Structures are given as structure tokens and as C-alpha cells.
Amino acid sequence: MPLPEAVEDATAAARETVPQIDEFGAYVAANGAPEIVEVLLPDTHGVLRGKWIPGGAGGKIWGDGVAIPLSIFGLDIWGREVEETGIHIETGDRDGICRPVAGTLKPVPWSPRPAAQVMLSMYEPDGRGFERPWDLDPRHKLEAQVKRLAALGLTPCVAFELEFYLMKPAPGPNGVPEPVFPASVGGPARQNMYSMSDLDAYAGLLHDVREAARIQGLPADTVISEAAPGQYEVNLYHRRDPMAAADDAILLRRLIDGVARKHGVRASFMAKPFLDFAGSGMHVHVSLTDGEGHNAFGAGEAGERLLRQCAAGLLDTMADTAVLYVPSYNGFRRLVPGSYAPTSISWGYDNRAVAVRVPNGPPKARRLEHRIAGADAHPHLVLAAILAGMLEGIERALEPPPPLTGNAYEQEAPHLSYDMGEAIRAFGRSDFVARAFGAEYQRVFAIMKEAELTAFERRINPLEYETYL
């Protein structure tokens, strides 16, 4: 459903009426001076990197910016330099200038001391006093697709849904993490889907999540107990600002993690922490609004044609961009038949077994639900790939195959790869990816993911010792 007008209008007004240079002063006037300002820069994997800056020097963030090495976007998932990218010491490891993202300066309610946080975006100095967007910052990749749609008179309206597990703070005796609820109490495995008692059991934590979201202006909506012990989902309202929607998803993950730690448990967005239970996904709902703010998908026959073209573009580009949706070695374990995680390149109406679903609803809420991404994926890259795929369908006037009905796991359709290496190779050789993301981004991202895959493949797992030693 569309974001309530009051919430959307207030957000838009805040972004437009507070000059960015005065944002910190306005924050201090409203909230008092923080002891520290946490500056947050999501890297290629969506991991937040940055600094703590004394509150007394906070205003300089909006004037001078924050110097951080450009090569931060060449770190692997463990935060190590991937030398094969060629963007580290070979370049002198130059600094970029990070600028605050307007509207993201917020209090940190779970912090033990007065703190504020703000998101950053990276720019490259050109040596002459000018700056240009740093090509490897995922935020700029999303911005490029938003501008392409704007040239067609279209604005994405976007909402994210995030699934996660609440875990005990320490792993079990076998070293495996344990959800806050036992997986079994002697009978059948405990699933307890949509359980009100599981919400009640952690009501204090979940209410603190909602309150922190209110304080930070994140448009949190429904909270539900999901399809496994200790698994929950928090939905965000639709935004007619796709950049802000992706920012919301990044910040919501941090918020949930911070509140959970304060309550003595751990929140995990790992895509598939337990083989016997559902993985955690990040579903993305997207519609397109026209110049008058109306849902273009709901405009009768023309709207249905546009929706079908967008669905076709998503299917046509899905194999090439799969590693953006499923960016981790663990994430490919989530793509299991019958698990409500899609395994085929397919679409359908009100069908949760397909990759691209058209939910039921009135014309004003007509939208596509993209169901592939794991909860650990980078929201900006996921949304950039979705919008680029939709544009591919629009610009080429593509027509999708017939929509699937019933159990899509048992029907004929091209399969998503279950192999990370195959997905990386598809990404690395794709003409579509080169056009949509740029050849340099394509090269660097593929190299980093190859290095990540190699690290896992070189490790002997415990079962091998148990079997062959």
C-alpha cells in the first residue's frame, strides 16, 4: 500500500526545507548536542563502516566532509583488502570525501551515551577543487537508475520487508547458534508461524524497535512472527523516494541489531542460518508513479502492459544479476524448493512460489514484489538491479512468458543457479551488467566475490573430518 501521506509529506518537507549545511545545527537545537556523531558508510557488502566524531566537531561533517579511503569499496566481507581489485596501495590508497546524506541525521536511542548517526556517500576529488561521485559507491549505482526512470517521467515507489532471527547471545555446545526459542521440545519441529505468543514473548524488544524507528523517522509498519523459531519480519511503508527507501533498509538493520544487543540477545540477518528452517529474505515491492503521482501500473490496459514489460525485464536480467540479490556463500543455501524462497526465473499473480509476484490489491496499490534477495544483501544494489531490469523491459518492450500458477517449484521454468561461482561468472560476462552498472564496477565486484568464494572453498568443513579422518 502507498506510504501514508502524512508520513511521506513530513519526510519530503524535512529534506527540502532544511539546508544541508544547517542540518547539524537544527539537530542540536532540537535534541541537544550529542557526545559523538557516528558517520556510517555502507560498503560493497552493505557492511557499515565509518568513524565516531566528537559532537563538538560534528558541524565540520557538513562543511569539510569526512575523509575515508576510496579503497573501502575494495574490502571483502571480512574487511580485508582484495588486492586483485587494483584500488588499494597501487593507487596510493587515496582518500575520498564523504558527504552526509540529507535527512539521515538521527538520534541513536539504543546508545549508552548521547549519540547521533548520519549516513555518508563517497565522492572522488579531482585535484582541482571539484568532486564527482565515486564509481564504486553502491548508492550512486541506484541513483543512476532513478535518474534514468525520471527521464521517462517515472518515479519508483518502493518498500522493503526484512526477515531476521533473534539468537541467544552465545552459540550452543556444538558451536552452532541457537534461536531464542527451542527448535523442538521433543515433538515435531517448532515452526509456530504468525504466532502471537512469540510476539508477546519479546514484546519489550519489539516495542523498543518500533519506538526507535519512530524516533529515527523510519516508516516501520507491520511486525510479525515468521516461519521458524525466533524468526521475525519488520515491514517498511512504501516511499516515493527510492533512495530514502534503500537508506531505510540499511538503517533498520542497524537499529534492530542495536536494540537486540541492548536486550541481551543477538539479531542475525544471515540468509540461511539453519538448514532445517526457513532462510531470511529481503522482499522488495516496487511500483512506478507518473508525473502526477498516480500509480502507472494501475492505469488500465496501458498500466498492465507496463507492468508486464517490467516483469519481463526482471526475468530477462535475473540470471545476470543474481549475485547482487544473493551475494553470500551462505545465501545460496536459502534457494531451496518448497521454502518460499524462489528457485526459478518466474513470475505470477498472487503466487509466493515465484521470483516476481504481483500481489492482489486495488489499482492504486498495483506493484511487483521481488522475492529473491536475502536479508544480508545490499539494499541499494538490490534496488538498482531491480530498477535496471524494469528499465530493460520498458526500453525493449519485452513480453514475459505466461505467469505461473500453483506450485512453481514443480513447473517448467529456467532455474536460478544454486552455485555462487556460476552466478559470479554470469555477472562478470554480462553485457547488461556492463551497461547498467559500468564495466569498472562489474570488474571490481566480480573480483571481490571470486575472492570470497575462494576463501570458503579452501576451508575444510567439520563433516569432512568426521567422514574421512
Side-chain angles (χ1 to χ4, degrees):
M1 297 296 290
L3 182 68
E5 293 299 327
V7 177
E8 184 178 43
D9 288 348
T11 302
R15 286 174 177 259
E16 291 174 5
T17 60
V18 179
Q20 195 167 348
I21 196 70
D22 296 333
E23 193 168 10
F24 186 68
Y27 176 91
V28 172
N31 301 280
E35 289 187 15
I36 59 168
V37 180
E38 302 173 347
V39 293
L40 311 174
L41 181 65
D43 72 4
T44 303
H45 316 281
V47 175
L48 288 173
R49 306 198 183 276
K51 304 177 181 181
W52 282 8
I53 294 178
K60 295 181 181 179
I61 300 168
W62 280 260
D64 301 333
V66 180
I68 295 178
L70 294 164
S71 61
I72 202 167
F73 293 102
L75 303 180
D76 65 16
I77 191 67
W78 298 281
R80 306 174 304 176
E81 294 180 348
V82 181
E83 295 179 0
E84 294 84 353
T85 60
I87 64 170
H88 297 283
I89 197 63
E90 302 88 346
T91 67
D93 205 17
R94 297 174 297 123
D95 275 340
I97 299 299
C98 296
R99 298 295 180 185
V101 176
T104 65
L105 177 62
K106 303 292 181 182
V108 185
W110 58 89
S111 174
R113 309 289 294 178
Q117 67 176 35
V118 66
M119 281 186 65
L120 302 176
S121 190
M122 177 78 82
Y123 294 83
E124 180 184 17
D126 68 357
R128 297 173 298 172
F130 298 99
E131 300 167 3
R132 55 178 174 266
W134 177 228
D135 186 57
L136 298 182
D137 184 343
R139 204 167 193 282
H140 299 312
K141 297 303 167 185
L142 173 56
E143 188 175 31
Q145 306 310 318
V146 174
K147 288 179 177 177
R148 289 177 63 197
L149 280 163
L152 301 179
L154 297 169
T155 300
C157 184
V158 179
F160 285 84
E161 299 173 349
L162 283 167
E163 296 171 339
F164 62 95
Y165 276 88
L166 290 180
M167 307 278 202
K168 295 179 181 177
N174 59 357
V176 176
E178 295 183 334
V180 289
F181 299 116
S184 174
V185 288
R190 184 188 191 281
Q191 190 172 6
N192 223 17
M193 188 182 295
Y194 298 158
S195 165
M196 294 303 297
S197 64
D198 284 7
L199 291 175
D200 292 340
Y202 281 89
L205 186 158
L206 297 172
H207 282 306
D208 280 356
V209 165
R210 291 184 58 82
E211 176 61 10
R214 184 193 66 77
I215 291 170
Q216 293 197 333
L218 298 182
D221 184 19
T222 307
V223 179
I224 61 173
S225 169
E226 261 292 345
Q231 189 185 43
Y232 295 88
E233 179 181 87
V234 176
N235 298 340
L236 291 162
Y237 280 119
H238 278 71
R239 276 193 185 271
R240 294 193 183 99
D241 180 344
M243 302 299 294
D247 293 342
D248 288 346
I250 286 272
L251 295 176
L252 181 64
R253 286 197 302 211
R254 183 169 199 260
L255 182 157
I256 291 170
D257 176 71
V259 172
R261 280 188 283 106
K262 192 171 182 179
H263 280 260
V265 297
R266 182 178 182 182
S268 174
F269 294 90
M270 184 176 179
K272 187 70 171 177
F274 306 107
L275 284 176
D276 296 332
F277 289 104
S280 293
M282 180 169 63
H283 300 164
V284 187
H285 294 250
V286 184
S287 59
L288 297 175
T289 58
D290 60 23
E292 297 179 352
H294 300 139
N295 188 344
F297 287 162
E301 184 178 335
E304 183 66 17
R305 182 168 60 253
L306 179 64
L307 180 145
R308 291 174 64 87
Q309 289 175 350
C310 289
L314 290 171
L315 301 184
D316 190 67
T317 60
M318 194 170 287
D320 290 358
T321 52
V323 75
L324 297 177
Y325 307 131
V326 189
S328 65
Y329 185 82
N330 171 261
F332 285 84
R333 298 184 186 277
R334 177 175 156 266
L335 306 181
V336 178
S339 66
Y340 290 98
T343 59
S344 63
I345 298 174
S346 57
W347 78 297
Y349 292 88
D350 196 21
N351 188 339
R352 286 185 170 84
V354 298
V356 179
R357 171 178 174 250
V358 183
N360 282 334
K364 68 178 182 179
R366 197 73 159 163
R367 64 194 187 276
L368 296 171
E369 179 190 12
H370 199 275
R371 297 177 55 81
I372 302 173
D376 58 347
H378 196 311
H380 296 79
L381 290 178
V382 167
L383 186 53
I386 290 172
L387 298 184
M390 294 169 67
L391 276 158
E392 188 80 353
I394 295 170
E395 292 171 351
R396 293 172 52 196
L398 297 179
E399 180 64 21
L404 297 188
T405 59
N407 188 349
Y409 299 108
E410 297 179 351
Q411 298 188 43
E412 289 294 327
H415 275 267
L416 285 165
S417 175
Y418 299 139
D419 180 80
M420 185 178 185
E422 183 178 326
I424 295 169
R425 289 188 291 274
F427 178 90
R429 62 174 177 254
S430 167
D431 291 338
F432 165 74
V433 169
R435 286 187 282 111
F437 287 83
E440 177 65 0
Y441 196 89
Q442 180 183 37
R443 181 190 73 83
V444 171
F445 187 88
I447 286 173
M448 287 197 293
K449 288 301 167 183
E450 284 282 4
E452 183 177 332
L453 174 60
T454 298
F456 280 99
E457 290 181 335
R458 287 180 176 172
R459 189 175 183 88
I460 298 175
N461 69 54
L463 181 59
E464 292 180 69
Y465 287 120
E466 293 174 17
T467 304
Y468 301 116
L469 195 62

